Amino acid sequence: MSEIKNKAPVIIGCDHGGFRLKKFIKEFLDQEEIPYTDIGCDSEEIVRYPYYAAEVARRIRSGEFVRGILICSTGVGMSIVANRYPGIRASVVADHYTAMMTRQHNDSNVLCLGGRTIGEFQAIDILKAWLDNEYIGGRHEISLGLLRDVEKEMCKQ
């Protein structure tokens, strides 16, 4: 197993559908000595994912964290909420290649995983690829610039 190079702290949150996978991911982060802040939830009791997604998005926007991890049953609900915040680029990822590309080309700062759609070891492979890759800029900066323009336009309304 290769060691993770990027050890920047992450913020992690989940709803009841992502609780089990979050526990497994936290064990991996501990093993790799990657600091994290867990904002909940703390059981499989039903909770509402928008609270957790919003908290992660707000704390990344504030600059407290650079990257976050959100987990619900599919990852989709979390991404919908997180992506409503300007500057947040939350990506639902279910494979290694997409994890790599969303960091390199989209500068994804929130990884959304499906606690009921991917297995634990697949999740770790995705997480490693996401943490180990950086935004490469270049021609991709044009698209991110356009995204920032859309965010500015939407925030005026």
Side-chain angles (χ1 to χ4, degrees):
M1 178 186 328
S2 63
E3 184 178 329
I4 302 291
K5 295 177 212 104
N6 186 340
K7 304 263 184 175
V10 297
I11 183 167
I12 185 169
C14 71
D15 72 358
H16 54 281
F19 177 70
R20 285 185 185 185
L21 183 57
K22 183 182 75 169
K23 282 178 38 178
F24 192 79
I25 287 173
K26 285 172 45 177
E27 290 173 13
F28 172 78
L29 294 172
D30 287 336
Q31 175 187 341
E32 292 292 321
E33 298 178 347
I34 298 171
Y36 62 86
T37 296
D38 178 359
I39 61 153
C41 76
D42 300 315
S43 75
E44 291 184 77
E45 186 174 323
I46 294 175
V47 296
R48 299 295 163 210
Y49 64 84
Y51 296 118
Y52 301 95
E55 181 69 13
V56 166
R58 282 193 293 266
R59 291 175 76 174
I60 290 173
R61 282 204 64 208
S62 76
E64 182 181 353
F65 293 91
V66 176
R67 293 187 190 176
I69 303 165
L70 288 168
I71 312 161
C72 62
S73 294
T74 63
V76 174
M78 291 291 200
S79 72
I80 290 170
V81 175
N83 279 319
R84 293 184 183 273
Y85 288 79
I88 299 301
R89 292 168 307 281
S91 302
V92 180
V93 177
D95 63 79
H96 181 97
Y97 180 76
T98 305
M100 227 171 45
M101 290 296 102
T102 197
R103 283 293 306 132
Q104 291 180 6
H105 294 190
N106 309 118
D107 198 18
S108 169
N109 53 10
V110 178
L111 176 65
C112 299
L113 299 171
R116 295 183 179 155
T117 61
I118 59 173
E120 293 172 341
F121 296 106
Q122 184 179 10
I124 297 305
D125 181 57
I126 291 165
L127 179 59
K128 286 168 57 176
W130 189 75
L131 290 172
D132 268 346
N133 280 275
E134 295 297 330
Y135 176 55
I136 60 175
R139 66 185 171 91
H140 304 290
E141 190 55 36
I142 296 167
S143 296
L144 286 188
L146 292 170
L147 179 58
R148 285 188 289 274
D149 291 347
V150 168
E151 290 174 341
K152 287 177 192 170
E153 180 182 329
M154 296 303 295
C155 289
K156 288 180 188 176
Q157 299 178 6

